[in-house]
Amino acid sequence: MTSDSKLVASSDGTKIYADSNGNSSKPALVFIHGFMLSAGVFDCLFADEKFTSEFHLIRYDLRGQGRSGQPKSAEGHVSKLYADDFAAVCDAFGSKKPYMVGWSYGCTVFADIAAHLPHDYLSGAIFICGPPYLGAVLEGIVTPDLATILPNLVSDTAPGAEHESAVSAFAGLLFTDTENVPWDIKWSWRGMGAIPPPSSFGFALVREIDAGPLIALGRKGFPLHVIGATDDGMINAQGVLAEVGKYFVKLTSFVVEKGSHAVFYQSRDVVVESITSYLFDYFSLPTVFE
């Protein structure tokens, strides 16, 4: 399925798993996955022949998750390292001025990029069912169902039964109409979070991000496209739009009716069309943010 895979060394030596597919002569889209998962969730997009013919698709596993290295302390999860990981992956695939496509937790990496990489490093950003950064802002964005289970997801000391119950609940919130989601998808996605210790996800969740540079970019006209879903069990789409609408003056959005948190999987064609239409429209303007 993928044309190229690599283990990329980040600035601190942590190995980051990444792979790519598509037309390398086309604009690059760098996909960043959600919490307790891996880049493997994007298989359906990376197998879409029309999508891969139009873009150079790149994805990677976040540090501490999936097939990437697992720093064992909070120091291994500071904001600059998340930006360095992104830059290392882009360098490995020769990607200049890419678009970032974040899903769920992956959206927060945009704030790391804004804080630690040049202001024109990206051509634009796309959020899929995710918050712009971490911290107090999550109170108006994360659903009560997700907020309830997060403590037991990230604790190394939570009793086994409580942790497993939280993992099951987390998996259930990813999809709508779960009975029609193939068995292998449900279990492979659940298994993506099984190798790292819960504390690895805890470090990722509580890391500090300076949102100031992201807010400044938004006010200067950096282009952001937000895709949400009405039936998202984890993220309140209107909460995301209300937050980014405060400072992104060049904001577009699309909310998928009856869409799930994994909207790119369960409503793939709709999401691909939204991304493609947005990017083609934007390509009529300068492709590099000034």
PDB file of all heavy atoms in Angstrom, residues 10-14 63-64 69-85 112 116 199-200 202-208:
ATOM      1  N   SER A  10      14.771  11.954  15.080  1.00  0.00           N
ATOM      2  CA  SER A  10      14.435  13.323  15.445  1.00  0.00           C
ATOM      3  C   SER A  10      15.621  13.988  16.129  1.00  0.00           C
ATOM      4  O   SER A  10      16.698  13.401  16.271  1.00  0.00           O
ATOM      5  CB  SER A  10      13.210  13.346  16.350  1.00  0.00           C
ATOM      6  OG  SER A  10      12.724  14.673  16.511  1.00  0.00           O
ATOM      7  N   SER A  11      15.449  15.224  16.569  1.00  0.00           N
ATOM      8  CA  SER A  11      16.564  16.009  17.111  1.00  0.00           C
ATOM      9  C   SER A  11      17.173  15.399  18.364  1.00  0.00           C
ATOM     10  O   SER A  11      18.360  15.595  18.631  1.00  0.00           O
ATOM     11  CB  SER A  11      16.091  17.432  17.407  1.00  0.00           C
ATOM     12  OG  SER A  11      15.024  17.430  18.346  1.00  0.00           O
ATOM     13  N   ASP A  12      16.389  14.665  19.153  1.00  0.00           N
ATOM     14  CA  ASP A  12      16.910  14.040  20.367  1.00  0.00           C
ATOM     15  C   ASP A  12      17.286  12.578  20.152  1.00  0.00           C
ATOM     16  O   ASP A  12      17.583  11.864  21.108  1.00  0.00           O
ATOM     17  CB  ASP A  12      15.889  14.145  21.502  1.00  0.00           C
ATOM     18  CG  ASP A  12      14.614  13.356  21.233  1.00  0.00           C
ATOM     19  OD1 ASP A  12      14.373  12.996  20.050  1.00  0.00           O
ATOM     20  OD2 ASP A  12      13.855  13.099  22.189  1.00  0.00           O
ATOM     21  N   GLY A  13      17.266  12.123  18.911  1.00  0.00           N
ATOM     22  CA  GLY A  13      17.620  10.747  18.595  1.00  0.00           C
ATOM     23  C   GLY A  13      16.460   9.781  18.585  1.00  0.00           C
ATOM     24  O   GLY A  13      16.626   8.630  18.166  1.00  0.00           O
ATOM     25  N   THR A  14      15.280  10.201  19.039  1.00  0.00           N
ATOM     26  CA  THR A  14      14.111   9.332  19.024  1.00  0.00           C
ATOM     27  C   THR A  14      13.769   8.951  17.590  1.00  0.00           C
ATOM     28  O   THR A  14      13.722   9.812  16.709  1.00  0.00           O
ATOM     29  CB  THR A  14      12.904  10.017  19.686  1.00  0.00           C
ATOM     30  OG1 THR A  14      13.211  10.280  21.057  1.00  0.00           O
ATOM     31  CG2 THR A  14      11.656   9.140  19.619  1.00  0.00           C
ATOM     32  N   ARG A  63       5.658  10.451  18.585  1.00  0.00           N
ATOM     33  CA  ARG A  63       6.578   9.898  19.587  1.00  0.00           C
ATOM     34  C   ARG A  63       5.779   9.355  20.767  1.00  0.00           C
ATOM     35  O   ARG A  63       4.747   9.915  21.176  1.00  0.00           O
ATOM     36  CB  ARG A  63       7.578  10.946  20.048  1.00  0.00           C
ATOM     37  CG  ARG A  63       7.009  12.174  20.712  1.00  0.00           C
ATOM     38  CD  ARG A  63       8.110  13.100  21.241  1.00  0.00           C
ATOM     39  NE  ARG A  63       9.180  13.307  20.297  1.00  0.00           N
ATOM     40  CZ  ARG A  63      10.478  13.154  20.591  1.00  0.00           C
ATOM     41  NH1 ARG A  63      10.853  12.827  21.823  1.00  0.00           N
ATOM     42  NH2 ARG A  63      11.397  13.355  19.668  1.00  0.00           N
ATOM     43  N   GLY A  64       6.241   8.238  21.293  1.00  0.00           N
ATOM     44  CA  GLY A  64       5.545   7.609  22.412  1.00  0.00           C
ATOM     45  C   GLY A  64       4.354   6.781  22.007  1.00  0.00           C
ATOM     46  O   GLY A  64       3.682   6.196  22.860  1.00  0.00           O
ATOM     47  N   GLY A  69       9.628   5.670  18.683  1.00  0.00           N
ATOM     48  CA  GLY A  69      10.274   5.511  19.974  1.00  0.00           C
ATOM     49  C   GLY A  69       9.428   6.049  21.110  1.00  0.00           C
ATOM     50  O   GLY A  69       8.560   6.905  20.902  1.00  0.00           O
ATOM     51  N   GLN A  70       9.691   5.562  22.298  1.00  0.00           N
ATOM     52  CA  GLN A  70       8.872   5.885  23.466  1.00  0.00           C
ATOM     53  C   GLN A  70       9.701   6.520  24.572  1.00  0.00           C
ATOM     54  O   GLN A  70      10.229   5.834  25.447  1.00  0.00           O
ATOM     55  CB  GLN A  70       8.197   4.612  23.988  1.00  0.00           C
ATOM     56  CG  GLN A  70       7.267   3.961  22.979  1.00  0.00           C
ATOM     57  CD  GLN A  70       6.816   2.586  23.410  1.00  0.00           C
ATOM     58  OE1 GLN A  70       6.864   2.241  24.583  1.00  0.00           O
ATOM     59  NE2 GLN A  70       6.385   1.782  22.446  1.00  0.00           N
ATOM     60  N   PRO A  71       9.840   7.843  24.561  1.00  0.00           N
ATOM     61  CA  PRO A  71      10.540   8.525  25.651  1.00  0.00           C
ATOM     62  C   PRO A  71       9.894   8.194  26.993  1.00  0.00           C
ATOM     63  O   PRO A  71       8.667   8.114  27.093  1.00  0.00           O
ATOM     64  CB  PRO A  71      10.376  10.006  25.306  1.00  0.00           C
ATOM     65  CG  PRO A  71      10.143  10.026  23.830  1.00  0.00           C
ATOM     66  CD  PRO A  71       9.358   8.785  23.537  1.00  0.00           C
ATOM     67  N   LYS A  72      10.703   8.015  27.999  1.00  0.00           N
ATOM     68  CA  LYS A  72      10.188   7.549  29.293  1.00  0.00           C
ATOM     69  C   LYS A  72      10.054   8.660  30.327  1.00  0.00           C
ATOM     70  O   LYS A  72       9.972   8.385  31.529  1.00  0.00           O
ATOM     71  CB  LYS A  72      11.086   6.434  29.822  1.00  0.00           C
ATOM     72  CG  LYS A  72      11.023   5.175  28.952  1.00  0.00           C
ATOM     73  CD  LYS A  72      11.930   4.087  29.485  1.00  0.00           C
ATOM     74  CE  LYS A  72      11.669   2.750  28.789  1.00  0.00           C
ATOM     75  NZ  LYS A  72      11.712   2.833  27.325  1.00  0.00           N
ATOM     76  N   SER A  73      10.057   9.908  29.891  1.00  0.00           N
ATOM     77  CA  SER A  73       9.915  11.020  30.831  1.00  0.00           C
ATOM     78  C   SER A  73       9.193  12.172  30.150  1.00  0.00           C
ATOM     79  O   SER A  73       9.078  12.217  28.910  1.00  0.00           O
ATOM     80  CB  SER A  73      11.285  11.496  31.316  1.00  0.00           C
ATOM     81  OG  SER A  73      11.998  12.113  30.249  1.00  0.00           O
ATOM     82  N   ALA A  74       8.741  13.110  30.973  1.00  0.00           N
ATOM     83  CA  ALA A  74       8.058  14.292  30.428  1.00  0.00           C
ATOM     84  C   ALA A  74       8.991  15.114  29.547  1.00  0.00           C
ATOM     85  O   ALA A  74       8.545  15.761  28.591  1.00  0.00           O
ATOM     86  CB  ALA A  74       7.528  15.149  31.577  1.00  0.00           C
ATOM     87  N   GLU A  75      10.299  15.069  29.851  1.00  0.00           N
ATOM     88  CA  GLU A  75      11.267  15.823  29.053  1.00  0.00           C
ATOM     89  C   GLU A  75      11.307  15.339  27.607  1.00  0.00           C
ATOM     90  O   GLU A  75      11.701  16.077  26.707  1.00  0.00           O
ATOM     91  CB  GLU A  75      12.666  15.721  29.676  1.00  0.00           C
ATOM     92  CG  GLU A  75      12.842  16.483  30.980  1.00  0.00           C
ATOM     93  CD  GLU A  75      12.142  15.828  32.168  1.00  0.00           C
ATOM     94  OE1 GLU A  75      11.846  14.613  32.096  1.00  0.00           O
ATOM     95  OE2 GLU A  75      11.869  16.550  33.157  1.00  0.00           O
ATOM     96  N   GLY A  76      10.913  14.095  27.393  1.00  0.00           N
ATOM     97  CA  GLY A  76      10.877  13.559  26.042  1.00  0.00           C
ATOM     98  C   GLY A  76       9.620  13.910  25.285  1.00  0.00           C
ATOM     99  O   GLY A  76       9.431  13.458  24.144  1.00  0.00           O
ATOM    100  N   HIS A  77       8.761  14.722  25.913  1.00  0.00           N
ATOM    101  CA  HIS A  77       7.499  15.110  25.276  1.00  0.00           C
ATOM    102  C   HIS A  77       7.304  16.626  25.264  1.00  0.00           C
ATOM    103  O   HIS A  77       6.167  17.095  25.183  1.00  0.00           O
ATOM    104  CB  HIS A  77       6.325  14.443  25.991  1.00  0.00           C
ATOM    105  CG  HIS A  77       6.193  12.983  25.684  1.00  0.00           C
ATOM    106  ND1 HIS A  77       5.447  12.503  24.635  1.00  0.00           N
ATOM    107  CD2 HIS A  77       6.738  11.903  26.289  1.00  0.00           C
ATOM    108  CE1 HIS A  77       5.514  11.177  24.607  1.00  0.00           C
ATOM    109  NE2 HIS A  77       6.291  10.790  25.591  1.00  0.00           N
ATOM    110  N   VAL A  78       8.376  17.387  25.316  1.00  0.00           N
ATOM    111  CA  VAL A  78       8.217  18.840  25.287  1.00  0.00           C
ATOM    112  C   VAL A  78       7.807  19.281  23.885  1.00  0.00           C
ATOM    113  O   VAL A  78       8.056  18.599  22.884  1.00  0.00           O
ATOM    114  CB  VAL A  78       9.509  19.563  25.729  1.00  0.00           C
ATOM    115  CG1 VAL A  78       9.824  19.238  27.179  1.00  0.00           C
ATOM    116  CG2 VAL A  78      10.675  19.220  24.814  1.00  0.00           C
ATOM    117  N   SER A  79       7.197  20.436  23.816  1.00  0.00           N
ATOM    118  CA  SER A  79       6.603  20.927  22.581  1.00  0.00           C
ATOM    119  C   SER A  79       7.599  20.981  21.423  1.00  0.00           C
ATOM    120  O   SER A  79       7.281  20.588  20.288  1.00  0.00           O
ATOM    121  CB  SER A  79       6.015  22.321  22.813  1.00  0.00           C
ATOM    122  OG  SER A  79       5.494  22.877  21.634  1.00  0.00           O
ATOM    123  N   LYS A  80       8.813  21.459  21.678  1.00  0.00           N
ATOM    124  CA  LYS A  80       9.784  21.601  20.594  1.00  0.00           C
ATOM    125  C   LYS A  80      10.075  20.263  19.920  1.00  0.00           C
ATOM    126  O   LYS A  80      10.292  20.202  18.699  1.00  0.00           O
ATOM    127  CB  LYS A  80      11.082  22.207  21.115  1.00  0.00           C
ATOM    128  CG  LYS A  80      12.121  22.436  20.009  1.00  0.00           C
ATOM    129  CD  LYS A  80      13.390  23.059  20.545  1.00  0.00           C
ATOM    130  CE  LYS A  80      14.365  23.348  19.395  1.00  0.00           C
ATOM    131  NZ  LYS A  80      14.753  22.131  18.649  1.00  0.00           N
ATOM    132  N   LEU A  81      10.088  19.180  20.689  1.00  0.00           N
ATOM    133  CA  LEU A  81      10.372  17.876  20.107  1.00  0.00           C
ATOM    134  C   LEU A  81       9.265  17.429  19.157  1.00  0.00           C
ATOM    135  O   LEU A  81       9.539  16.772  18.143  1.00  0.00           O
ATOM    136  CB  LEU A  81      10.587  16.838  21.208  1.00  0.00           C
ATOM    137  CG  LEU A  81      11.861  17.032  22.041  1.00  0.00           C
ATOM    138  CD1 LEU A  81      11.920  16.010  23.182  1.00  0.00           C
ATOM    139  CD2 LEU A  81      13.109  16.925  21.166  1.00  0.00           C
ATOM    140  N   TYR A  82       8.026  17.785  19.461  1.00  0.00           N
ATOM    141  CA  TYR A  82       6.929  17.445  18.548  1.00  0.00           C
ATOM    142  C   TYR A  82       7.087  18.202  17.231  1.00  0.00           C
ATOM    143  O   TYR A  82       6.813  17.653  16.153  1.00  0.00           O
ATOM    144  CB  TYR A  82       5.580  17.750  19.194  1.00  0.00           C
ATOM    145  CG  TYR A  82       5.116  16.650  20.122  1.00  0.00           C
ATOM    146  CD1 TYR A  82       5.717  16.436  21.357  1.00  0.00           C
ATOM    147  CD2 TYR A  82       4.074  15.802  19.753  1.00  0.00           C
ATOM    148  CE1 TYR A  82       5.302  15.415  22.201  1.00  0.00           C
ATOM    149  CE2 TYR A  82       3.643  14.783  20.583  1.00  0.00           C
ATOM    150  CZ  TYR A  82       4.264  14.591  21.808  1.00  0.00           C
ATOM    151  OH  TYR A  82       3.861  13.570  22.630  1.00  0.00           O
ATOM    152  N   ALA A  83       7.528  19.448  17.305  1.00  0.00           N
ATOM    153  CA  ALA A  83       7.793  20.211  16.084  1.00  0.00           C
ATOM    154  C   ALA A  83       8.990  19.629  15.341  1.00  0.00           C
ATOM    155  O   ALA A  83       8.978  19.523  14.106  1.00  0.00           O
ATOM    156  CB  ALA A  83       8.041  21.676  16.427  1.00  0.00           C
ATOM    157  N   ASP A  84      10.024  19.251  16.076  1.00  0.00           N
ATOM    158  CA  ASP A  84      11.211  18.666  15.450  1.00  0.00           C
ATOM    159  C   ASP A  84      10.875  17.354  14.744  1.00  0.00           C
ATOM    160  O   ASP A  84      11.422  17.060  13.669  1.00  0.00           O
ATOM    161  CB  ASP A  84      12.293  18.420  16.504  1.00  0.00           C
ATOM    162  CG  ASP A  84      12.907  19.705  17.034  1.00  0.00           C
ATOM    163  OD1 ASP A  84      12.663  20.776  16.442  1.00  0.00           O
ATOM    164  OD2 ASP A  84      13.630  19.634  18.050  1.00  0.00           O
ATOM    165  N   ASP A  85       9.990  16.546  15.350  1.00  0.00           N
ATOM    166  CA  ASP A  85       9.572  15.287  14.710  1.00  0.00           C
ATOM    167  C   ASP A  85       8.926  15.574  13.358  1.00  0.00           C
ATOM    168  O   ASP A  85       9.214  14.911  12.359  1.00  0.00           O
ATOM    169  CB  ASP A  85       8.571  14.540  15.596  1.00  0.00           C
ATOM    170  CG  ASP A  85       9.157  14.074  16.911  1.00  0.00           C
ATOM    171  OD1 ASP A  85      10.390  14.120  17.079  1.00  0.00           O
ATOM    172  OD2 ASP A  85       8.368  13.662  17.781  1.00  0.00           O
ATOM    173  N   ASP A 112       2.559  23.249  18.092  1.00  0.00           N
ATOM    174  CA  ASP A 112       4.000  23.023  18.259  1.00  0.00           C
ATOM    175  C   ASP A 112       4.767  23.567  17.058  1.00  0.00           C
ATOM    176  O   ASP A 112       5.817  24.204  17.202  1.00  0.00           O
ATOM    177  CB  ASP A 112       4.285  21.524  18.395  1.00  0.00           C
ATOM    178  CG  ASP A 112       3.560  20.889  19.559  1.00  0.00           C
ATOM    179  OD1 ASP A 112       3.765  21.334  20.698  1.00  0.00           O
ATOM    180  OD2 ASP A 112       2.780  19.944  19.332  1.00  0.00           O
ATOM    181  N   HIS A 116       7.619  26.640  17.080  1.00  0.00           N
ATOM    182  CA  HIS A 116       9.036  26.296  16.993  1.00  0.00           C
ATOM    183  C   HIS A 116       9.615  26.207  15.586  1.00  0.00           C
ATOM    184  O   HIS A 116      10.832  26.039  15.440  1.00  0.00           O
ATOM    185  CB  HIS A 116       9.272  24.968  17.713  1.00  0.00           C
ATOM    186  CG  HIS A 116       8.892  25.001  19.157  1.00  0.00           C
ATOM    187  ND1 HIS A 116       9.631  25.676  20.110  1.00  0.00           N
ATOM    188  CD2 HIS A 116       7.828  24.473  19.817  1.00  0.00           C
ATOM    189  CE1 HIS A 116       9.050  25.548  21.294  1.00  0.00           C
ATOM    190  NE2 HIS A 116       7.954  24.829  21.143  1.00  0.00           N
ATOM    191  N   SER A 199       1.489   5.619  30.812  1.00  0.00           N
ATOM    192  CA  SER A 199       2.167   6.873  31.147  1.00  0.00           C
ATOM    193  C   SER A 199       2.690   7.588  29.902  1.00  0.00           C
ATOM    194  O   SER A 199       2.807   8.814  29.880  1.00  0.00           O
ATOM    195  CB  SER A 199       3.326   6.616  32.112  1.00  0.00           C
ATOM    196  OG  SER A 199       4.260   5.710  31.546  1.00  0.00           O
ATOM    197  N   SER A 200       3.003   6.830  28.862  1.00  0.00           N
ATOM    198  CA  SER A 200       3.463   7.450  27.615  1.00  0.00           C
ATOM    199  C   SER A 200       2.389   8.369  27.060  1.00  0.00           C
ATOM    200  O   SER A 200       2.675   9.485  26.594  1.00  0.00           O
ATOM    201  CB  SER A 200       3.820   6.375  26.588  1.00  0.00           C
ATOM    202  OG  SER A 200       4.327   6.942  25.400  1.00  0.00           O
ATOM    203  N   GLY A 202       0.043   9.651  28.913  1.00  0.00           N
ATOM    204  CA  GLY A 202      -0.119  10.707  29.898  1.00  0.00           C
ATOM    205  C   GLY A 202       0.841  11.858  29.646  1.00  0.00           C
ATOM    206  O   GLY A 202       0.455  13.029  29.716  1.00  0.00           O
ATOM    207  N   PHE A 203       2.108  11.544  29.350  1.00  0.00           N
ATOM    208  CA  PHE A 203       3.075  12.592  29.023  1.00  0.00           C
ATOM    209  C   PHE A 203       2.607  13.406  27.814  1.00  0.00           C
ATOM    210  O   PHE A 203       2.762  14.624  27.777  1.00  0.00           O
ATOM    211  CB  PHE A 203       4.449  11.979  28.704  1.00  0.00           C
ATOM    212  CG  PHE A 203       5.124  11.329  29.871  1.00  0.00           C
ATOM    213  CD1 PHE A 203       5.793  10.120  29.723  1.00  0.00           C
ATOM    214  CD2 PHE A 203       5.117  11.914  31.129  1.00  0.00           C
ATOM    215  CE1 PHE A 203       6.429   9.511  30.784  1.00  0.00           C
ATOM    216  CE2 PHE A 203       5.746  11.310  32.218  1.00  0.00           C
ATOM    217  CZ  PHE A 203       6.414  10.107  32.038  1.00  0.00           C
ATOM    218  N   ALA A 204       2.058  12.716  26.830  1.00  0.00           N
ATOM    219  CA  ALA A 204       1.594  13.395  25.622  1.00  0.00           C
ATOM    220  C   ALA A 204       0.421  14.323  25.916  1.00  0.00           C
ATOM    221  O   ALA A 204       0.303  15.403  25.325  1.00  0.00           O
ATOM    222  CB  ALA A 204       1.195  12.365  24.568  1.00  0.00           C
ATOM    223  N   LEU A 205      -0.422  13.922  26.839  1.00  0.00           N
ATOM    224  CA  LEU A 205      -1.635  14.679  27.110  1.00  0.00           C
ATOM    225  C   LEU A 205      -1.390  15.935  27.934  1.00  0.00           C
ATOM    226  O   LEU A 205      -2.078  16.952  27.756  1.00  0.00           O
ATOM    227  CB  LEU A 205      -2.648  13.784  27.829  1.00  0.00           C
ATOM    228  CG  LEU A 205      -4.059  14.325  27.990  1.00  0.00           C
ATOM    229  CD1 LEU A 205      -4.718  14.559  26.634  1.00  0.00           C
ATOM    230  CD2 LEU A 205      -4.915  13.358  28.816  1.00  0.00           C
ATOM    231  N   VAL A 206      -0.415  15.900  28.841  1.00  0.00           N
ATOM    232  CA  VAL A 206      -0.223  17.034  29.753  1.00  0.00           C
ATOM    233  C   VAL A 206       0.922  17.952  29.336  1.00  0.00           C
ATOM    234  O   VAL A 206       1.220  18.924  30.039  1.00  0.00           O
ATOM    235  CB  VAL A 206       0.015  16.546  31.204  1.00  0.00           C
ATOM    236  CG1 VAL A 206      -1.155  15.711  31.680  1.00  0.00           C
ATOM    237  CG2 VAL A 206       1.316  15.758  31.313  1.00  0.00           C
ATOM    238  N   ARG A 207       1.561  17.689  28.195  1.00  0.00           N
ATOM    239  CA  ARG A 207       2.668  18.546  27.776  1.00  0.00           C
ATOM    240  C   ARG A 207       2.170  19.979  27.556  1.00  0.00           C
ATOM    241  O   ARG A 207       1.021  20.205  27.178  1.00  0.00           O
ATOM    242  CB  ARG A 207       3.308  18.005  26.502  1.00  0.00           C
ATOM    243  CG  ARG A 207       2.400  17.996  25.294  1.00  0.00           C
ATOM    244  CD  ARG A 207       2.973  17.126  24.176  1.00  0.00           C
ATOM    245  NE  ARG A 207       2.084  17.130  23.019  1.00  0.00           N
ATOM    246  CZ  ARG A 207       2.108  18.042  22.063  1.00  0.00           C
ATOM    247  NH1 ARG A 207       3.000  19.029  22.122  1.00  0.00           N
ATOM    248  NH2 ARG A 207       1.269  17.993  21.044  1.00  0.00           N
ATOM    249  N   GLU A 208       3.039  20.914  27.821  1.00  0.00           N
ATOM    250  CA  GLU A 208       2.673  22.325  27.686  1.00  0.00           C
ATOM    251  C   GLU A 208       2.938  22.816  26.273  1.00  0.00           C
ATOM    252  O   GLU A 208       3.980  22.534  25.689  1.00  0.00           O
ATOM    253  CB  GLU A 208       3.465  23.175  28.690  1.00  0.00           C
ATOM    254  CG  GLU A 208       3.115  22.881  30.139  1.00  0.00           C
ATOM    255  CD  GLU A 208       3.829  23.810  31.100  1.00  0.00           C
ATOM    256  OE1 GLU A 208       4.553  24.715  30.617  1.00  0.00           O
ATOM    257  OE2 GLU A 208       3.665  23.657  32.315  1.00  0.00           O
TER     258      GLU A 208
END
